[in-house]
Amino acid sequence: MLVSTSRWAAVLPDLSPWRSGRDFRLLFYQGTITFFGSFMAMIALPLQIKHMTDSPLAVGAMGAVELVPLVVCGLYGGALADAVDRRRLILLTEAGLGVLALVLLVNALLPDPLLWPLYVVAAGVSALTGLQRPALDSLMARIVPHDQLAAAAALGGLRYQFGAIAGPALAGLVVAFAGYASAYAVTVTGFLVSVLLCVRLAPAPPVKDAERPSLRGIAEGARYAWGRPVLLGTYAVDLAAMLFAFPNAILPFLADELDAVWALGLMYAAGAVGSLVLGLTSGWVSRVRRHGLLVVCGAAVWGLAIAAAGWFTTVWPVLLCLAVAGAGDMLSGLGRSTIWNQTIPEGLRGRLAGIEVLSYSVGPQLGQVRAGAMAGWTGTRTAFWSGGLACVASVAVLAALLPKLISYDAHTDEDALNQRAAREAEAGAGPRTAAA
């Protein structure tokens, strides 16, 4: 029995972060609810645009509309997260996202819903997400012990995947049987509950003598990242993978070609299922030291699986490919998140998290535009397989150009050792004060 229990413990997720911090548990609940509601809207919104326009380019144009607000607000949000109380920033932006979801609901209830508010809300959501995510991401390293960061990343992935599975799967049913307004109503309710949970988070004040948000501060964070090949590699690999192989905008058209409109919700959820399976068997992640290898291998698996999805002509193999792609994305994400939290100094976490937002958000936005445009020009399945192969090729080139990403070792990397020492010194000094 002891041997069997030990084997299960080596595979099942490490729950140490859950047991060690109340704020981690609150963020887990908040994130689960927010992701569920957000994915309801994330699926309903492109479906509504497709219903109103029947154009792949119109759906893909969402990425273009969201791009500039995300870039500007992501960078500024990173500087802001280093200068203000992160809990307050998270709370205000979460409330703003709830208001935008309410706009979608009101528009859907109109006798003749308007198209332009859908793009305006998409841009607004992108802006608020850019402001919020650096504060959320940089908060994790403060509330979780250094040696539990990989486990925290795995648990964080699980909460995301729950929303990514349940949200799309239910969104398709809700839209089909109850309409777009019902899907948006679920989103509004989710944000209301999320705001109430955020209120209970402990204050997260900035470090002593924190700089006011400025272009100089943003540039300082960019210089730090540029001078670290490991960090630079994590950003570049993820950006390339999403740019060339992010297919969500054209999934409705693939479902049409496969004569499987009924499976659209499953297509949106399949990647999250693969990620969830990997997350539920992620106990081994806590023992990994070479997180750069996870980043590269996971991105390569993602690209190959997306390419394969474009080669099949029946829906079930496509769903399997999308699930494998999701597992690869989860693997790469675990590596990126762990490297970021292990190596970035506290005083720069917000600004570097802003750059992180760009690396894992701008890529999908541009990827939607690329996928929609290529599907319109060459066909849906060609857009899949060509993008997947381009992803694999670009990841291979980046790995060759940035060998330090592959050789990263959490037990020997200088930045990781420095941050471990800083966390241990902080723990020895007692609880963080507001002034610190």
Side-chain angles (χ1 to χ4, degrees), residues 38-39 48 63 118 193 196 201 233 275 293 306 351 359 424 436:
S38 296
F39 271 104
Q48 190 173 12
L118 304 184
V193 176
L196 296 176
L201 289 170
S275 296
L293 278 175
I306 293 297
R351 280 164 284 180
S359 77
E424 291 173 351

Side-chain angles (χ1 to χ4, degrees), residues 77-78 81-82 86 90 132-143 341 344-346 348-354 356:
D82 282 335
R86 291 171 185 168
I90 292 168
Q132 182 190 74
R133 286 303 297 267
L136 271 172
D137 293 347
S138 59
L139 187 60
M140 193 60 62
R142 178 180 288 193
I143 64 176
N341 285 324
I344 298 172
E346 173 63 26
L348 288 171
R349 284 195 186 280
R351 280 164 284 180
L352 270 293
E356 293 157 18

